[in-house]
Amino acid sequence: MHRYDIERYLNVRTAGGADLGPDGRLSFLLNTTGTGQVWSIEGPLSWPTQRTFFEESVSFVDTSPERAEAVFGMDEGGNERTQLYLLNYESGEIVDLTDRPEAKHRWGGWDGEGDRFAFASNRRDESVFDVYVQDRAGDSIEGSTGDASDAADAELVYEGDGWLSVAGWSPSDDRLIVHEAHASFDHDVYTLDIESGELTHHTPHEGDVRYGSPEWGPDGDALYLVTDRDSDTLRLERLDLASGE
């Protein structure tokens, strides 16, 4: 029987984190160069194109719903202080959207038009995460060009007191899902009204309960999530926001 060298197995490469853009471009992370970078293909069976060329690994990529661009995340030396960057697929330009190397940033997704995005960050206090909304480009800045390189600073829309993350915009782009991790097996889910800053708690419970992977329903009146509420295993549930059922 033939014996293979261990290097053969240590050099196995992987691809994942795929995201489909509005123009059919499929973006994904591939570590064929030794670190995970952003690659994309224009259509089925087309040849992949490498889009980022860093020594550090990219942690995710999320394509704009309207433009030929994407946001990706990357930290430095594995310090978990992820910064957010905007990649233009046509020009190859990369813009640092956060530029706060001392802070951690948790991506929260694009709005429906691709004009704004949300994230959670511990900029204000390193022990807690707040919720921010930021314009893709600096249209709100006096004298801005509207170009992505003129990106606006983020707006603090909710001050948190725990480990928060953002899980997506409502179909009407007026609310955000906010997820809070009290511990590895104890979570809560909220919705945040962006204009008023009102946070609504949807998962009151006693003891340890996991609520994970929340997503908006198509009409914005419910959330889909996985939970082990009243169970020993995770299952898919639909949470009606009005009744709480």
Side-chain angles (χ1 to χ4, degrees):
M1 186 176 71
H2 183 74
R3 293 180 179 272
Y4 293 101
D5 190 277
I6 186 63
E7 293 298 323
R8 181 186 184 98
Y9 300 97
L10 295 177
N11 283 293
V12 171
R13 302 307 182 189
T14 60
D19 181 68
L20 190 64
D23 53 0
R25 179 188 292 108
L26 184 71
S27 301
F28 54 94
L29 303 182
L30 177 64
N31 68 349
T32 189
T33 60
T35 59
Q37 300 297 314
V38 179
W39 292 65
S40 69
I41 55 176
E42 301 302 317
L45 303 182
S46 63
W47 191 258
T49 301
Q50 186 173 353
R51 300 292 184 172
T52 60
F53 302 84
F54 298 102
E55 294 183 2
E56 305 289 353
S57 293
V58 174
S59 56
F60 76 89
V61 60
D62 190 4
T63 307
S64 165
E66 294 291 337
R67 298 179 178 88
E69 60 189 24
V71 168
F72 67 88
M74 183 173 61
D75 68 6
E76 183 176 352
N79 64 4
E80 299 183 352
R81 300 182 187 276
T82 298
Q83 305 300 302
L84 305 178
Y85 301 85
L86 185 70
L87 165 66
N88 186 309
Y89 284 111
E90 295 175 347
S91 68
E93 180 186 16
I94 294 175
V95 176
D96 188 343
L97 295 169
T98 46
D99 195 23
R100 299 289 184 91
E102 75 284 354
K104 299 179 179 181
H105 299 84
R106 297 174 172 176
W107 176 246
W110 296 95
D111 72 359
E113 299 298 322
D115 293 329
R116 298 177 295 169
F117 56 88
F119 61 88
S121 178
N122 64 346
R123 295 177 173 186
R124 179 180 60 86
D125 182 337
E126 66 178 11
S127 64
V128 298
F129 283 80
D130 303 322
V131 178
Y132 294 82
V133 169
Q134 183 169 330
D135 289 344
R136 162 204 165 270
D139 297 326
S140 62
I141 302 177
E142 184 178 356
S144 70
T145 64
D147 186 82
S149 61
D150 196 19
D153 197 12
E155 176 187 358
L156 175 61
V157 295
Y158 182 77
E159 289 191 4
D161 58 4
W163 285 68
L164 305 183
S165 57
V166 181
W169 297 69
S170 65
S172 55
D173 285 337
D174 59 348
R175 291 169 294 161
L176 297 169
I177 299 174
V178 176
H179 181 271
E180 182 174 16
H182 307 293
S184 297
F185 293 89
D186 189 20
H187 309 149
D188 269 305
V189 174
Y190 310 80
T191 54
L192 173 65
D193 185 294
I194 296 173
E195 183 174 352
S196 69
E198 180 181 359
L199 190 73
T200 303
H201 186 196
H202 297 290
T203 55
H205 62 274
E206 296 182 359
D208 291 348
V209 179
R210 288 181 287 176
Y211 294 96
S213 304
E215 297 278 354
W216 288 98
D219 299 320
D221 60 348
L223 303 180
Y224 291 87
L225 44 77
V226 292
T227 180
D228 59 0
R229 179 183 66 92
D230 300 329
S231 173
D232 293 329
T233 59
L234 291 168
R235 62 183 183 276
L236 177 65
E237 289 198 356
R238 179 182 184 276
L239 171 62
D240 186 287
L241 295 179
S243 68
E245 296 181 356

